[in-house]
């Protein structure tokens, strides 16, 4: 356990936002570690996730792979504005008790930008944990079209081929295809065991709103851009390659040159370090900046 605990203002609340296909449970190891250190932390389920998630009947065993391509999902109607409003409401409640550190991982970074635009005065610090941060390029989709993203292993694990009008990005995490399982491991959890990866896949959710990847997620310089921010780079990330992370850091800094990213690096794959204490250490360091 870090020896920073006594030096950090206990009034800081960490509000944690998950990425695509995930939920609040994905933050559980970090929330537990922060709690054991005496901190307040809440992991948010974005709309259509966690208890509100939808699991298509065709996704259950035995799977109907043909129907899985066309079965509608209510998450198709979820927008970036919905996610931002949901997180902003959590921040408003958390702020009643003191400073708020808002952190997001992967696609959750786009929601961070949008939520920060809604309540910039209530957020003491933003933390992007190997997360998307559109600044000059409008969306996650535009960022993934860059040369810096070309090496991403995400392109090796194509989603279920749903028609565009379905409005969802669907991944069959329960696939029994060994090539798919191997590709997923390489993309998001390369240094984890096969057993750990299977456990991970069983807590992921199949559907994500396609609108989130296409939405303009650029933060407004006079709102999002005035909040101090940290980027935690994952140097072993094969989903968001370090070159892509560095591009987002650089373009955000060019957008708000008077408020640049504080950058930290951890040797971790996309789902994060095996030891949650490493990420908790970084969040504690941020909390010190909020005193």
């Amino acid at each position: 356990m870090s020896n920073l605990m006594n030096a950090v203002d206990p009034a800081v609340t960490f509000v944690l936002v998950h990425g695509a296909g995930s939920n609040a449970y994905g933050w559980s190891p970090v929330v537990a570690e922060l709690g054991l250190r005496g901190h307040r932390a809440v992991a948010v389920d974005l709309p259509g996730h966690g208890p509100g998630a939808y699991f298509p009947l065709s996704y259950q065993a035995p799977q109907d792979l043909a129907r899985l391509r066309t079965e509608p999902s209510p998450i198709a109607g979820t927008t970036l504005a919905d996610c931002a409003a949901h997180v902003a409401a959590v921040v408003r409640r958390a702020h009643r008790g003191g400073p708020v550190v808002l952190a997001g991982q992967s696609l959750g970074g786009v929601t961070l930008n949008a939520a920060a635009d809604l309540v910039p005065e209530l957020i003491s610090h933003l933390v992007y944990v190997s997360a998307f941060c559109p600044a000059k390029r409008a969306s996650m989709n535009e960022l993934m079209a860059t040369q810096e993203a070309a090496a991403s292993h995400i392109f090796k694990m194509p989603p279920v081929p749903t028609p565009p009008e379905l409005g969802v990005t669907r991944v069959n995490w329960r696939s029994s295809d060994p090539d798919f399982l191997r590709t997923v491991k390489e993309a998001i959890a390369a240094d984890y065991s096969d057993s750990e990866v299977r456990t991970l896949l069983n807590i992921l959710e199949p559907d994500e709103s396609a609108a989130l990847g296409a939405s303009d997620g650029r933060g407004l310089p006079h709102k999002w851009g005035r909040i101090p921010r940290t980027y935690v780079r994952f140097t072993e990330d094969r989903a968001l390659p370090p070159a892509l992370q560095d591009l987002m850091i650089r373009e955000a800094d060019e957008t708000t040159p008077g408020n640049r990213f504080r950058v930290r690096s951890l040797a971790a794959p996309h789902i994060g370090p095996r030891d949650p204490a490493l990420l908790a250490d970084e969040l504690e360091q941020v909390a010190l900046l909020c005193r």
Side-chain angles (χ1 to χ4, degrees), residues 184-193 197 236 238 269-271 274:
V184 169
K185 179 179 177 179
E186 292 174 352
I188 65 175
D191 66 343
Y192 285 65
S193 70
V197 173
E236 306 303 317
R238 298 177 183 173
H270 190 62
I271 63 169
R274 298 174 66 96

Side-chain angles (χ1 to χ4, degrees), residues 13-24:
T13 300
F14 298 97
V15 176
L16 310 172
V17 180
H18 63 79
S22 189
N23 47 56

Side-chain angles (χ1 to χ4, degrees), residues 260-283:
R260 301 171 64 85
F261 265 115
R262 170 181 174 270
V263 180
R264 306 286 293 174
S265 295
L266 291 176
H270 190 62
I271 63 169
R274 298 174 66 96
D275 183 359
L278 297 176
L279 188 49
D281 285 345
E282 295 300 333
L283 292 172

Side-chain angles (χ1 to χ4, degrees), residues 6-281:
N6 293 331
V8 177
D9 183 354
V12 170
T13 300
F14 298 97
V15 176
L16 310 172
V17 180
H18 63 79
S22 189
N23 47 56
Y25 186 78
W27 280 102
S28 291
V30 176
V31 170
E33 180 65 25
L34 290 170
L36 289 171
R37 298 181 184 199
H39 302 300
R40 293 194 305 230
V42 56
V44 179
D45 281 309
L46 292 176
H49 291 276
Y54 178 75
F55 290 83
L57 289 176
S58 53
Y59 183 70
Q60 311 298 331
Q63 290 193 320
D64 183 340
L65 298 182
R67 185 181 176 191
L68 190 61
R69 297 184 177 193
T70 59
E71 186 173 340
S73 172
I75 204 172
T78 301
T79 66
L80 179 58
D82 295 330
C83 294
H86 183 73
V87 171
V90 175
V91 169
R92 289 188 184 98
R93 293 186 63 187
H95 187 263
R96 296 172 188 168
V100 172
V101 172
L102 180 60
Q105 201 270 339
S106 193
L107 184 58
V110 179
T111 294
L112 254 62
N113 284 15
D117 280 345
L118 296 178
V119 287
E121 72 283 358
L122 303 184
I123 301 169
S124 293
H125 207 103
L126 293 166
V127 183
Y128 294 77
V129 182
S130 197
F132 286 99
C133 181
K136 292 188 172 182
R137 296 160 215 268
S139 66
M140 182 203 79
N141 289 353
E142 288 189 22
L143 285 164
M144 289 301 291
T146 63
Q147 184 60 39
E148 288 81 359
S152 172
H153 285 230
I154 292 295
F155 298 124
K156 298 181 180 181
M157 44 176 285
V160 175
T162 55
E165 58 269 23
L166 207 62
V168 299
T169 300
R170 178 169 288 163
V171 180
N172 184 9
W173 302 114
R174 293 178 179 168
S175 172
S176 60
D177 181 350
D179 288 337
F180 175 81
L181 296 176
R182 183 167 51 252
T183 300
V184 169
K185 179 179 177 179
E186 292 174 352
I188 65 175
D191 66 343
Y192 285 65
S193 70
D194 289 352
S195 177
E196 289 170 321
V197 173
R198 287 193 297 270
T199 298
L200 168 67
L201 299 188
N202 276 285
I203 66 170
L204 294 179
E205 300 168 4
D207 290 354
E208 189 59 78
S209 170
L212 298 185
S215 296
D216 189 335
R218 289 173 291 187
L220 298 172
H222 66 288
K223 292 187 177 182
W224 157 84
R226 76 187 201 218
I227 305 170
R229 59 183 186 251
T230 291
Y231 200 102
V232 182
R233 299 171 68 252
F234 286 170
T235 61
E236 306 303 317
D237 195 334
R238 298 177 183 173
L240 270 67
L244 177 58
Q245 297 175 56
D246 292 341
L247 172 69
M248 292 186 286
I249 292 167
R250 182 169 65 252
E251 292 189 341
D253 289 349
E254 291 170 354
T255 301
T256 58
N259 180 31
R260 301 171 64 85
F261 265 115
R262 170 181 174 270
V263 180
R264 306 286 293 174
S265 295
L266 291 176
H270 190 62
I271 63 169
R274 298 174 66 96
D275 183 359
L278 297 176
L279 188 49
D281 285 345

